[in-house]
């Protein structure tokens, strides 16, 4: 049978990894197959109009989107036939998400996709992986757009930072004494509009860890904001599983819930738990986007990794999901990373974090925020120096420059300006410095956390309030923000490594931190969109 290479499926090993042995041929796994959508050209035209800020293009309900742009019955049938021919079982099929989940053994999948799955070891642990490209039967060329889950390496990291207590942290040049704020205090300093998020659903994507309801009750009771409704949805067998380690993924989960819940206590908060793989990440995002029960209007994502660690097929599939969200008036807030312009890599080059680098995500960078009891007194780029964290940001190597970033340049720390030819990251910012961090409760302990992980839920809570205030979902906000920069507090001091803050947009804090009331006017539309 003739086979063709699946475009963008090429994989390399994790840096520093080497093969231990072939993967167990009898090991069972599940793999997510992403098929093409119907009427793609019509969808791209709609998305392009939204990208210019043309709200008259109209939006689609989830049901309308599924009918007009979901997978076709013949394409789904072709995948089922392929599965049967290779002894694979179909365990899940969703036309709206364009996803078919197949189950089988390592040996069966290896034969079906002409890949050799092996067990790798690296400094961070072990994983089942592959190198090279995936092969498809020629008749499925163009039908299948991505095959995810053969490789189960950890795909993303949580973007939170705990406050350091060592002497180096206390003696940073020019550093002031550490302070902390509750999320409600940060919201007040940024002038968030009044509101509780009533009538809104905020989705939170998590790839590990969990929350304990007793901790949430204690935390929200202490803030006197009521008790937000928080529920968990299992994706790809992921579950709410607290580890008991505040410095682990529990820290991410609790930070996200507590920031959103403090700012939008009447919102319905739904946490989608999924395995930390490329398949799990995408499946959780598409599950939230197409959730016809909870119907999130905002999605908060505080996980990610350098673009270079993703396959092109996975980035394209995630970006495609975010485009779908834009057409359904769903805002997707994503942390831009905590490791400055290098994004944690040591190859001497600049990198940006994905999925924040998707043009259809609201990339959220970080600042260091100083304030008295009533007002902000100073706000600069968050950068703890070589031994700490810094706001992620820079220029994508994968995504083209969106139209709303035309004419923008990134100012390099050496003083030179680099005109954007690719997508610039981030779009907005907010308090992220652990030394000006957030008071939270994790695994029974009160502590202080920072990182851009706090900024994504901060913006998600803000947008939930705005949606409640205006009675209209904010949706794809980026084009409007770049037309109305006065809705942001411009950050002009500091750097994140190779990029420097400057007047207007910069590759450290984007357009700046929230100017709450001004954002309400920016998000208003002339016509209501379907929910």
């Amino acid at each position: 049978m003739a086979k063709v290479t699946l475009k963008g499926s090429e994989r390399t090993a994790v840096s520093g990894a080497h093969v231990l042995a072939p993967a167990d041929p009898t090991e069972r796994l599940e793999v997510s197959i992403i098929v093409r959508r119907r009427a793609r050209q019509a969808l791209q035209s709609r998305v392009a109009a939204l990208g210019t800020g043309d709200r008259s293009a109209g939006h689609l309900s989830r049901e309308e989107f599924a009918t007009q742009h979901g997978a076709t019955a013949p394409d789904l049938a072709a995948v089922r036939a392929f599965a049967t021919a290779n002894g694979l079982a179909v365990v899940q099929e969703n036309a709206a998400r364009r996803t078919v989940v197949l189950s089988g053994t390592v040996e069966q999948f290896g034969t079906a996709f002409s890949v050799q799955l092996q067990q790798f070891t690296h400094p961070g642990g072990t994983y089942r992986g592959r190198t090279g490209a995936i092969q498809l039967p020629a008749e499925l060329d163009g039908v299948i757009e991505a095959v995810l889950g053969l490789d189960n390496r950890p795909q993303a990291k949580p973007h939170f930072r705990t406050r350091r207590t060592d002497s180096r942290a206390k003696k940073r040049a020019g550093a002031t004494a550490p302070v902390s704020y509750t999320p409600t205090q940060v919201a007040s300093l940024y002038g968030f509009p009044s509101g509780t998020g009533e009538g809104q659903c905020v989705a939170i994507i998590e790839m590990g860890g969990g929350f304990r309801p007793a901790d949430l009750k204690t935390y929200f009771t202490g803030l006197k904001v009521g008790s937000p409704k928080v529920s968990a949805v299992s994706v790809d067998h992921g579950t709410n599983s607290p580890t008991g380690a505040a410095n682990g993924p529990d820290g991410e989960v609790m930070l996200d819930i507590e920031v959103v819940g403090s700012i939008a206590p009447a919102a319905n908060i739904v946490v989608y738990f999924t395995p930390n793989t490329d398949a799990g990440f995408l499946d959780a995002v598409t599950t939230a986007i197409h959730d016809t029960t909870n119907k999130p209007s905002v999605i908060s994502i505080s996980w990610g990794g350098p673009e270079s660690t993703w396959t092109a097929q996975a980035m394209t599939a995630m970006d495609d999901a975010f485009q779908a969200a834009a057409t359904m008036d769903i805002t997707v807030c994503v942390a831009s990373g905590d490791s400055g312009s290098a994004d944690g890599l040591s190859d001497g080059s600049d990198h940006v974090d994905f999925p924040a680098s998707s043009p259809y995500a609201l990339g959220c960078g970080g600042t260091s925020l100083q304030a008295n009891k009533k007002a902000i007194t100073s706000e600069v780029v968050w950068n703890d120096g070589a031994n700490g964290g810094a706001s992620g940001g820079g220029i994508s190597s994968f995504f083209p420059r969106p139209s709303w970033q035309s004419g923008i340049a990134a100012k390099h720390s050496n003083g030179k300006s680099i005109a954007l030819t690719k997508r610039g990251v981030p779009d907005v910012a907010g308090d992220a410095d652990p030394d000006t961090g957030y008071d939270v409760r994790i695994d029974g302990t009160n502590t202080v956390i920072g990182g851009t992980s706090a900024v994504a839920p901060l913006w998600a809570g803000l947008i939930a309030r705005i949606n409640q205030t205006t009675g209209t979902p904010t949706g794809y906000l980026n084009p409007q923000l770049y037309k109305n920069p006065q809705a942001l507090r411009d950050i002009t001091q500091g750097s994140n490594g190779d990029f420097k803050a400057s007047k207007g947009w910069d590759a450290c804090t984007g357009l700046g931190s929230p100017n709450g009331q001004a954002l309400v006017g920016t998000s208003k539309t002339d016509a209501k969109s379907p929910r």
Side-chain angles (χ1 to χ4, degrees):
M1 180 184 295
K3 290 197 173 185
V4 296
T5 298
L6 175 59
K7 183 180 178 181
S9 64
E10 295 80 7
R11 265 287 198 194
T12 58
V14 170
S15 178
H18 64 269
V19 176
L20 281 176
D24 178 357
T26 65
E27 177 189 355
R28 295 197 66 83
L29 59 146
E30 292 183 359
V31 173
S32 295
I33 310 298
I34 313 302
V35 304
R36 64 188 172 189
R37 66 170 74 257
R38 71 179 78 203
R40 177 173 290 279
Q41 187 171 354
L43 177 65
Q44 289 175 337
S45 296
R46 185 185 296 273
V47 171
L50 292 173
T52 66
D54 179 9
R55 304 287 290 188
S56 66
H59 293 79
L60 301 174
S61 68
R62 285 175 170 83
E63 293 76 12
E64 289 170 336
F65 188 93
T67 299
Q68 296 181 29
H69 301 297
T72 66
D75 283 353
L76 294 174
V79 174
R80 290 196 299 271
F82 166 77
T84 299
N86 287 275
L88 303 170
V90 176
V91 297
Q92 186 184 138
E93 182 179 297
N94 188 295
R97 294 172 50 218
R98 303 180 296 122
T99 301
V100 182
V101 179
L102 304 180
S103 173
T105 65
V106 162
E107 183 175 23
Q108 288 170 324
F109 278 114
T111 300
F113 294 111
S114 301
V115 295
Q116 183 177 5
L117 297 177
Q118 298 172 310
Q119 197 70 21
F120 288 82
T121 182
H122 65 108
T126 62
Y127 68 94
R128 181 190 68 246
R130 63 178 179 86
T131 57
I134 290 169
Q135 302 295 314
L136 299 175
E139 63 268 23
L140 292 179
D141 186 21
V143 174
I144 293 179
E145 296 186 339
V147 176
L148 307 175
L150 292 168
D151 188 307
N152 71 349
R153 72 185 70 187
Q155 185 60 67
K157 294 181 179 180
H159 292 318
F160 74 93
R161 295 284 178 123
T162 56
R163 177 179 289 177
R164 294 191 301 157
T165 57
D166 61 286
S167 59
R168 288 179 303 173
K170 295 177 180 178
K171 294 180 180 178
R172 279 189 299 149
T176 57
V179 296
S180 63
Y181 311 98
T182 65
T184 53
Q185 288 173 327
V186 175
S188 177
L189 290 169
Y190 284 138
F192 281 17
S194 60
T196 60
E198 185 176 3
Q200 304 301 309
C201 174
V202 179
I204 299 175
I205 307 299
E206 301 292 0
M207 286 174 277
F211 63 89
R212 291 185 170 90
D215 276 335
L216 296 180
K217 183 178 180 180
T218 298
Y219 181 77
F220 292 124
T221 298
L223 288 182
K224 299 179 180 179
V225 296
S227 297
K229 178 185 177 184
V230 182
S231 58
V233 171
S234 174
V235 179
D236 295 351
H237 312 292
T239 60
N240 175 25
S241 303
T243 64
N247 289 332
D250 289 1
E252 184 60 70
V253 176
M254 296 296 284
L255 172 68
D256 292 343
I257 296 172
E258 289 169 359
V259 172
V260 171
S262 300
I263 296 169
N268 178 23
I269 300 172
V270 182
V271 188
Y272 297 78
F273 286 99
T274 192
N276 187 3
T277 63
D278 56 3
F281 203 160
L282 178 68
D283 287 347
V285 168
T286 58
T287 297
I289 290 171
H290 296 282
D291 187 342
T292 56
T293 299
N294 295 297
K295 298 182 178 180
S297 58
V298 192
I299 298 176
S300 178
I301 302 173
S302 294
W303 297 70
E307 288 181 331
S308 61
T309 64
W310 291 77
T311 60
Q313 63 166 352
M315 286 194 287
T316 299
M318 186 76 79
D319 182 64
D320 203 41
F322 290 169
Q323 291 183 47
T327 68
M328 290 182 273
D329 256 353
I330 303 167
T331 310
V332 182
C333 306
V334 186
S336 72
D338 295 349
S339 299
S341 58
D343 204 25
L345 299 183
S346 56
D347 60 2
S349 298
D350 294 325
H351 296 272
V352 294
D353 211 73
F354 180 80
S357 63
S358 164
Y360 300 95
L362 183 69
C364 301
T367 69
S368 180
L369 181 72
Q370 295 288 338
N372 56 30
K373 292 184 178 180
K374 295 183 178 180
I376 295 172
T377 57
S378 170
E379 190 169 19
V380 301
V381 178
W382 166 46
N383 190 336
D384 284 343
N387 295 311
S391 175
I395 304 171
S396 172
S397 62
F398 187 78
F399 293 101
R401 182 195 65 207
S403 59
W404 34 266
Q405 285 190 325
S406 296
I408 288 178
K411 189 171 183 179
H412 201 276
S413 293
N414 62 15
K416 294 182 179 180
S417 291
I418 305 170
L420 294 188
T421 57
K422 297 278 191 179
R423 156 75 157 136
V425 183
D427 302 299
V428 296
D431 182 30
D433 186 347
D435 281 348
T436 64
Y438 297 72
D439 294 316
V440 293
R441 183 175 180 84
I442 304 167
D443 295 327
T445 301
N446 295 327
T447 187
V448 178
I449 284 184
T452 56
S453 275
V455 188
L458 179 76
W459 273 87
L462 167 60
I463 290 167
R465 282 196 187 184
I466 292 174
N467 289 352
Q468 177 195 7
T469 299
T470 63
T472 305
T474 298
Y476 184 32
L477 185 58
N478 300 34
Q480 299 299 328
L481 289 179
Y482 282 80
K483 287 182 178 180
N484 299 277
Q486 73 279 0
L488 287 304
R489 294 172 45 87
D490 195 8
I491 309 301
T492 59
Q493 296 182 39
S495 77
N496 68 349
D498 281 346
F499 295 100
K500 187 176 181 181
S502 60
K503 186 176 180 180
W505 182 88
D506 58 63
C508 305
T509 57
L511 295 168
S513 58
N515 183 1
Q517 290 296 333
L519 281 164
V520 175
T522 298
S523 68
K524 287 182 179 178
T525 60
D526 294 329
K528 295 207 172 191
S529 305
R531 301 299 300 277

